[in-house]
Amino acid sequence: MHAAVDEQATSWTFAEGEEIVPGRHAVRLLGGGTRHEAYLAWDTRLHWLVVVKLLRPAAADEGARAALRAEGDALAALAHPGLPRLFGGDPAGERPHLVLEHLDGPRLSTVIRRYRPALEQALPLALSLCAVLHYLRDEGWVHLDVKPKNVILGAPPRLIDLSIARPLDTVDAIASPLGTDAYMAPEQCDPARFGLLGPATDVWGLGVTLYETLARRRPFPEPDPSAPDLARRYPQTACTPEPLPREVPAEVAGYVLACLAPEPADRPAPDELAAGLQQVEARLPRPRLGRFRPS
């Protein structure tokens, strides 16, 4: 039995066990966005759980199909332990979709909302994300949407959602805002004014992500309707970041705030940031293991 195809529907309604596409059967709905939704599914060929990311029926226009195809191309071109794997898909089919690795772990955004991660947890996470961004830079790609919601905490942590990732040799075609407002570097907010996007753009997103992890708030104020047009939507184009909480070591705060330098050239490269944070991590107290004593 298949879900009825209704081009006006806003959501697929696959029941448990229903075939989403040949060989992939729905387990449960995981969630979604404006254009797509994701199902946990059983893949009969892999004999493994996967995620099927589908365009919503009413959203499957040519632009959405092209974006899904571009995401698939990015995942097919890139292979790193900190990125999800692609297991196939059909962006041009009746049910445009990608088949992705199922990552078992919470989103960083969920953990931040519920807890304040300790420095001993935040630094290894930062190093993992630096490794991914270093790889992307060397491969000639830019992610453009680094944020807590796109980080899955596992072993290792993964940076997901390459739906707006671009090869570096194509970013000069980006002439309008692209990304998630609160995590966008100034050059993402207004490319014509602030310059081309590049690896330093992802470092900015990492900086906001680390700031939010350590402070449980973002570094810039909420949009101000009374501010000039650009700053009204993007305070980061006109404001400096607020100080991190006092309990964050000054050296760590310095590295995080360096990622938020207005000029891309002033931000550290991912490997430079990793080198500095590794030195901080090496100086952290190690947990003392108690001795086992006979009862």
Side-chain angles (χ1 to χ4, degrees), residues 6-285:
D6 180 356
E7 293 183 354
Q8 302 304 312
T10 59
S11 178
W12 298 99
T13 54
F14 296 110
E16 183 178 355
E18 192 171 357
E19 189 174 70
I20 301 173
V21 292
R24 279 95 186 209
H25 298 264
V27 175
R28 60 182 170 88
L29 179 67
L30 294 174
T34 304
R35 286 183 163 186
H36 73 274
E37 56 191 6
Y39 277 85
L40 183 65
W42 180 257
D43 188 303
T44 56
R45 181 177 66 86
L46 298 175
H47 208 65
W48 205 266
L49 288 171
V50 296
V51 173
V52 178
K53 180 177 180 178
L54 299 110
L55 292 183
R56 295 184 183 276
D61 56 31
E62 285 307 311
R65 289 173 184 266
L68 190 69
R69 184 167 54 251
E71 181 177 4
D73 290 345
L75 288 167
L78 299 166
H80 187 276
L83 294 172
R85 289 178 289 177
L86 177 72
F87 294 124
D90 183 8
E94 180 181 352
R95 295 175 180 174
H97 71 282
L98 298 175
V99 181
L100 307 171
E101 179 181 9
H102 169 52
L103 304 175
D104 188 14
R107 294 178 187 264
L108 177 59
S109 54
T110 301
V111 172
I112 292 172
R113 191 166 58 247
R114 295 178 179 174
Y115 315 101
R116 174 177 287 180
L119 186 64
E120 292 80 1
Q121 297 167 312
L123 288 182
L125 171 63
L127 294 173
S128 294
L129 295 176
C130 283
V132 178
L133 297 190
H134 175 74
Y135 169 77
L136 291 175
R137 183 190 65 174
D138 280 4
E139 292 297 308
W141 282 79
V142 60
H143 186 280
L144 298 177
D145 204 16
V146 180
K147 59 184 180 182
K149 189 176 180 181
N150 282 344
V151 176
I152 301 293
L153 298 177
R158 306 290 187 91
L159 179 62
I160 65 168
D161 194 352
L162 279 74
S163 58
I164 62 171
R166 298 285 190 276
L168 283 173
D169 59 6
T170 68
V171 295
D172 58 353
I174 299 173
S176 57
L178 180 66
T180 302
D181 285 12
Y183 302 92
M184 287 162 58
E187 62 269 22
Q188 282 178 279
C189 304
D190 189 349
R193 174 180 170 188
F194 292 102
L196 287 180
L197 287 64
T201 305
D202 285 343
V203 171
W204 175 285
L206 176 58
V208 181
T209 297
L210 296 179
Y211 188 110
E212 190 171 346
T213 301
L214 294 166
R216 295 188 72 194
R217 57 179 169 81
R218 295 175 186 145
F220 299 97
E222 293 299 313
D224 179 4
S226 66
D229 289 344
L230 185 67
R232 182 181 305 157
R233 179 174 175 183
Y234 306 113
Q236 61 267 47
T237 63
C239 300
T240 57
E242 297 177 2
L244 279 152
R246 286 181 295 178
E247 60 265 28
V248 177
E251 189 175 7
V252 174
Y255 285 121
V256 173
L257 296 177
C259 296
L260 303 178
E263 291 293 333
D266 294 335
R267 300 170 205 154
D271 55 332
E272 294 171 344
L273 179 62
L277 293 178
Q278 280 176 329
Q279 293 181 20
V280 178
E281 185 189 35
R283 294 195 296 270
L284 290 177

